[in-house]
Amino acid sequence: EQCATPPGRIIRTRDGSVRGQLGSVKMLKARMLPQLSEQDFSTPSPHRLQRRDSSGDIVAPDGTVVRSGSVSKTLQSLARITRAKTLAERLEDAEREAGEKTGGKIVVYTTSVKAVAATANACSTVRKILQQHRVAFEERDVMMSNDFSAELKQRLPSLGVPQVFLNGQHLGGVDFMVEKNDTGELTAMLEAVPKIPRLESGRCARCDSKGFHLCTWCNGDKNSMVSRIGSQLIRLQCTCCNENGLMRCTNCQN
């Protein structure tokens, strides 16, 4: 450790030996300017002459590889792995994995609201096309659950229902489905998707093919339990159903 004593502006150590002398800014400039004047700033520093070749390696002017491109690629891969996946990416991964296990996973975003005739007719058209091909598909009604609405906004922010996904990849809306069905290309696209047997009524007996039914725990009123906390009675909301008091139909899911 150093201990500077003001008299004489001498820097001394604790044992009393002299280490140097304090100087002013003027003295520092006088000592450094001659050294700076001797340097040639017209020649760029070596690291500025480094370049990246076609393989991604960083190469010095003499051809020496400073950093391998594989290192940069590895770092980029690690960054992608450690980055948290978005909702759209998680849905795509889950549907792709389900499709690999079963042969094909179809997800259709629709709405049960018939206030807008064009939208209702488009949803009905897409549904009938898939039913004609007798393929199993999961229908997600954006009016039945806020989660489905949030999913569609994440995956296709600027598009509305109906929208069809196959193994996590977006196929298209009603125009795409009608066109591919008319040309026969849709049959080849859905060839690997599991087929469902023909039913006499064609409707689910439990939910009427809506995909949802009233919660069997709270019967749709959301207030499924009354708990006493101190002198007050508190109604707890049911956690088995969604915000509308509906449960997913297990028959349709299976």
Side-chain angles (χ1 to χ4, degrees):
E1 297 182 8
Q2 298 179 354
C3 178
T5 58
R9 305 176 65 84
I10 301 298
I11 302 176
R12 297 179 183 273
T13 61
R14 290 186 174 181
D15 60 1
S17 60
V18 178
R19 292 295 302 273
Q21 182 178 3
L22 291 174
S24 63
V25 175
K26 185 176 181 180
M27 295 173 59
L28 179 63
K29 288 183 178 179
R31 187 168 65 252
M32 296 299 297
L33 284 176
Q35 299 179 12
L36 294 175
S37 62
E38 295 176 359
Q39 295 185 9
D40 184 11
F41 292 97
S42 61
T43 304
S45 57
H47 73 274
R48 292 181 178 273
L49 297 177
Q50 297 174 359
R51 60 182 177 82
R52 189 181 295 273
D53 61 6
S54 58
S55 62
D57 298 337
I58 298 179
V59 183
D62 59 356
T64 306
V65 177
V66 179
R67 178 183 293 179
S68 174
S70 60
V71 176
S72 300
K73 294 177 181 178
T74 302
L75 294 176
Q76 294 175 2
S77 300
L78 290 175
R80 286 195 296 268
I81 294 173
T82 55
R83 179 179 62 87
K85 291 186 176 182
T86 63
L87 174 60
E89 292 173 338
R90 294 197 302 270
L91 290 170
E92 180 180 347
D93 292 343
E95 294 170 12
R96 183 181 65 253
E97 293 175 1
E100 292 174 353
K101 294 179 180 178
T102 62
K105 171 72 173 180
I106 300 178
V107 174
V108 186
Y109 290 92
T110 63
T111 179
S112 56
V113 176
K114 299 182 180 180
V116 182
T119 303
N121 293 336
C123 293
S124 178
T125 299
V126 170
R127 193 181 299 110
K128 289 179 179 178
I129 290 175
L130 294 175
Q131 290 173 349
Q132 289 173 359
H133 287 269
R134 295 193 302 110
V135 290
F137 63 93
E138 179 182 350
E139 185 174 356
R140 299 179 181 176
D141 192 333
V142 297
M143 295 305 298
M144 289 289 190
S145 173
N146 290 338
D147 293 339
F148 294 160
S149 179
E151 289 178 9
L152 185 59
K153 288 180 180 179
Q154 281 278 337
R155 305 180 83 169
L156 302 172
S158 59
L159 297 179
V161 294
Q163 297 297 331
V164 182
F165 288 81
L166 175 60
N167 297 332
Q169 299 297 319
H170 179 231
L171 292 184
V174 60
D175 295 335
F176 175 89
M177 297 296 289
V178 171
E179 177 185 355
K180 297 302 180 182
N181 187 52
D182 292 342
T183 59
E185 298 178 54
L186 189 61
T187 302
M189 296 172 64
L190 305 179
E191 183 178 1
V193 180
K195 302 298 188 291
I196 57 177
R198 295 186 182 276
L199 303 178
E200 296 181 0
S201 61
R203 312 291 293 181
C204 175
R206 187 173 189 182
C207 69
D208 195 29
S209 297
K210 299 296 184 182
F212 287 86
H213 59 80
L214 282 179
C215 179
T216 56
W217 181 265
C218 68
N219 202 28
D221 65 358
K222 293 294 294 180
N223 297 321
S224 58
M225 185 181 300
V226 178
S227 178
R228 180 179 296 277
I229 301 179
S231 59
Q232 297 181 347
L233 290 177
I234 305 298
R235 288 189 174 273
L236 303 179
Q237 287 195 346
C238 179
T239 58
C240 297
C241 54
N242 62 12
E243 66 281 355
N244 298 320
L246 301 174
M247 298 178 69
R248 296 292 302 275
C249 179
T250 55
N251 291 352
C252 292
Q253 286 183 314
N254 296 334

